[in-house]
Amino acid sequence: MSSKQNSQPQGPAMIDAETIAEYLHQNPEFFEQNPDVLAELNISHQLSGAVSLIERQITTLREQNLKLKTQLENLIQIARDNDQLNERMHTLTLAVMDADSLNEIYIALDDSLRGEFGADAVTVKLFVDTAQADIDADNDLMQTIFVPMDDPRLDGFRQILGHEKPVCGALKPEQLGYMFGEVAEQIKSTALIPLGGEHCSARGCNYLGILAIGSHDERRFHTNMGTLFLSNLGEILSRAIRPYVADNK
């Protein structure tokens, strides 16, 4: 007597979503070869209900195209801004080169930074005694610009000079007061640019001075901003003032 073995009918093997996705990746022509499947395929969309795969692809491509277009427009605007910046920088350089005295250099610098670059305050401090420089002793502006290198009020700036490059951000109240005087309370951000520190050695840099540019906008000069333009400005001004200032080693 034989007994029948109990067996369950075997159904089709279950295929998970990962397997299907992998197959479609390996066979991107599947929907071209099976248009009837594509015609019946719908994808749920949060905004517009059910849309076909092709419509979804078109929407995705449009979104990508819009993103690329926005990026391109941003790059074009940056290029235009740089062109305008270079043009203003060229104008400033010519004005400084045409100056015949320290007083004229300062006036040209102040006019350009305020008029062309939107600065709210401009100050230059040169680290020499008035007797060492070619200046007009009766000129109050020049008397304000020149300060002895050992002036204790400069102590708050020596660490900044140690960076050997422009430093941007918010200054302490005493630093603002020294640089900007009666308008100090209005200055919310500042760019400090060392002057004349091109030749540095193990003993340090022989700086001619420091240029301070102040803004009423606390976001104008910040610690993460690029400083290439400011460095170039410092080099131009250093070259312009050096002939008028005796070696202060």
Side-chain angles (χ1 to χ4, degrees), residues 30-98:
F30 175 81
F31 289 114
E32 293 181 5
Q33 298 173 354
N34 301 273
D36 54 331
V37 177
L38 180 60
E40 298 177 1
L41 186 63
N42 288 287
I43 300 176
S44 177
H45 193 282
Q46 293 181 352
L47 298 180
S48 57
V51 296
S52 70
L53 179 60
I54 291 179
E55 290 173 335
R56 179 61 182 273
Q57 287 179 320
I58 291 175
T59 300
T60 300
L61 290 174
R62 284 175 177 170
E63 292 173 350
Q64 292 175 346
N65 182 59
L66 179 60
K67 183 178 180 180
L68 291 173
K69 181 180 179 181
T70 301
Q71 292 176 343
L72 178 59
E73 290 175 347
N74 289 338
L75 290 174
I76 292 174
Q77 186 59 49
I78 291 174
R80 289 173 178 169
D81 291 343
N82 286 337
D83 285 342
Q84 294 176 359
L85 178 61
N86 288 333
E87 184 176 348
R88 293 196 296 267
M89 190 68 171
H90 179 66
T91 301
L92 183 153
T93 302
L94 293 179
V96 170
M97 290 175 60
D98 288 340

Side-chain angles (χ1 to χ4, degrees), residues 124-188:
V124 175
K125 297 292 185 183
L126 298 181
F127 306 148
V128 292
D129 293 326
T130 54
Q132 293 180 290
D134 178 19
I135 64 171
D136 181 357
D138 296 326
N139 189 314
D140 293 337
L141 175 61
M142 291 295 100
Q143 295 296 330
T144 302
I145 288 177
F146 282 92
V147 295
M149 186 59 183
D150 58 357
D151 189 331
R153 294 174 297 177
L154 290 174
D155 291 344
F157 299 93
R158 300 190 194 283
Q159 184 177 1
I160 295 174
L161 290 171
H163 290 285
E164 301 178 11
K165 61 181 181 180
V167 175
C168 300
L171 296 183
K172 297 178 181 179
E174 59 271 20
Q175 293 174 319
L176 288 171
Y178 178 63
M179 281 294 176
F180 301 113
E182 60 185 16
V183 300
E185 293 184 358
Q186 303 173 32
I187 303 303
K188 304 304 180 183

Side-chain angles (χ1 to χ4, degrees), residues 195-199 206 208 237-246:
L195 301 176
E198 298 92 345
H199 305 293
N206 185 32
L208 294 176
L237 185 57
S238 297
R239 294 291 182 89
I241 65 177
R242 192 178 295 278
Y244 299 97
V245 181

Side-chain angles (χ1 to χ4, degrees), residues 88-89 91-92 110-119 220:
R88 293 196 296 267
M89 190 68 171
T91 301
L92 183 153
D110 187 80
D111 288 346
S112 181
L113 290 178
R114 290 177 185 270
E116 298 293 333
F117 295 93
R220 175 70 183 276

